[in-house]
Amino acid sequence: PFRVSTEGLLPADGNEGLLTGLDDVVGSTPLQVQLFADLQTAEQRTELNELQRLALLDVRYILTKRDFPAADKRFTLLGKEGDLHLYRLSSDATLPRAWLVHGATQAPSEGELAMLGKLDFRQTALVDRQIDLPSVGATAAGESLTYVTYAPTRSVVQVASAAPGLVVFSEIWYPGWQATLDGRTAPIIRADHSFRAVAVPAGRHEIAMWYAPEILRRGVTVSVIAAGCCLVLLAIDVALAVLGVRRGVLLQEVAP
């Protein structure tokens, strides 16, 4: 999976992602998760630069009216039409949808985004709690991370790690997400201010993550209870009806 940034320049007034199937980070909506909006605000305040924000969001392609200099190898011009330019970002300017790091720094109570802008995302994650990692540096040879399943509300990844680390997902942290590590419940850590992460020990592991908010679980419980009550009432109604028929037959038999 990867994302694009169209800057709202395609037809459909910022909603082209719905029509094309593109995972676009730009769209027309009155609703926006605050942690996602924080990244844009941080860029406006120059706490993050544009490429840092796009890297964290796994953006690989940019559709823009801007003309990036040919000497900047981070941008490859794929084509243009009129004043529109389509660029592909180089691999050293992007991050995958999920990546492995071996360093963690606890976020300060204030200035979290400003601190985030100073980190090397490939080596260190800014986390919401104290985590002890060996800080062995960049991903070692032989380490890997592969998506087995990817969908908007569920994903499964397999990771091979040479040392304890964090798998950071380019997915916005939000209450209701659940995770397991090798089939056992695992806490989801808020990493790099806006994203989800799961801690992994050394070795090969599988992480599953899915969306199951508490309100949904409560709704299912209430629905099951209500359905059960309806079945009980239906059974009682049927039983009374059967008893009524039998009573009527018996009265007919004993009537003079």
Side-chain angles (χ1 to χ4, degrees):
F2 64 90
R3 297 190 178 100
V4 301
S5 175
T6 65
E7 300 183 1
L9 296 174
L10 289 177
D13 191 26
N15 296 305
E16 58 276 355
L18 296 175
L19 301 178
T20 62
L22 293 172
D23 201 350
D24 191 358
V25 297
V26 178
S28 299
T29 172
L31 300 175
Q32 197 173 74
V33 177
Q34 185 61 50
L35 290 178
F36 177 80
D38 287 346
L39 298 175
Q40 297 173 303
T41 302
E43 183 183 337
Q44 295 167 0
R45 295 197 304 241
T46 68
E47 294 172 325
L48 286 175
N49 62 48
E50 181 184 18
L51 283 181
Q52 286 177 314
R53 180 178 66 87
L54 295 181
L56 287 169
L57 291 172
D58 185 28
V59 171
R60 311 285 180 87
Y61 299 90
I62 302 176
L63 182 68
T64 181
K65 291 185 178 181
R66 293 174 289 172
D67 190 0
F68 297 115
D72 191 339
K73 300 304 181 183
R74 296 173 299 178
F75 303 92
T76 298
L77 181 63
L78 299 180
K80 58 183 180 179
E81 181 176 328
D83 59 352
L84 297 180
H85 300 77
L86 178 62
Y87 291 95
R88 183 180 64 231
L89 290 170
S90 64
S91 59
D92 61 347
T94 60
L95 288 166
R97 187 58 61 93
W99 66 97
L100 177 66
V101 300
H102 293 296
T105 299
Q106 188 171 5
S109 57
E110 295 183 1
E112 183 177 352
L113 286 165
M115 185 174 181
L116 177 64
K118 300 175 183 177
L119 294 181
D120 182 346
F121 306 140
R122 290 177 173 81
Q123 297 193 30
T124 305
L126 192 65
V127 294
D128 63 352
R129 66 196 70 178
Q130 181 63 42
I131 299 176
D132 294 324
L133 292 178
S135 297
V136 296
T139 303
E143 294 187 323
S144 63
L145 193 149
T146 306
Y147 268 98
V148 178
T149 302
Y150 182 82
T153 58
R154 180 175 176 81
S155 63
V156 177
V157 300
Q158 293 179 341
V159 57
S161 179
L166 279 175
V167 176
V168 183
F169 294 83
S170 179
E171 307 285 356
I172 300 299
W173 184 94
Y174 194 79
W177 283 94
Q178 314 292 322
T180 58
L181 176 66
D182 300 328
R184 297 182 178 180
T185 300
I188 296 179
I189 300 163
R190 184 173 61 83
D192 294 339
H193 181 75
S194 304
F195 303 95
R196 303 178 222 142
V198 174
V200 295
R204 295 183 176 275
H205 306 281
E206 183 173 274
I207 300 171
M209 190 176 295
W210 67 97
Y211 187 59
E214 181 64 26
I215 190 171
L216 178 60
R217 293 198 294 271
R218 291 179 181 177
V220 170
T221 300
V222 171
S223 297
V224 170
I225 293 173
C229 292
C230 289
L231 290 174
V232 170
L233 291 175
L234 180 61
I236 292 173
D237 189 55
V238 171
L240 291 175
V242 171
L243 289 174
V245 170
R246 289 180 178 176
R247 182 174 180 275
V249 171
L250 180 61
L251 291 175
Q252 289 179 357
E253 291 179 354
V254 300

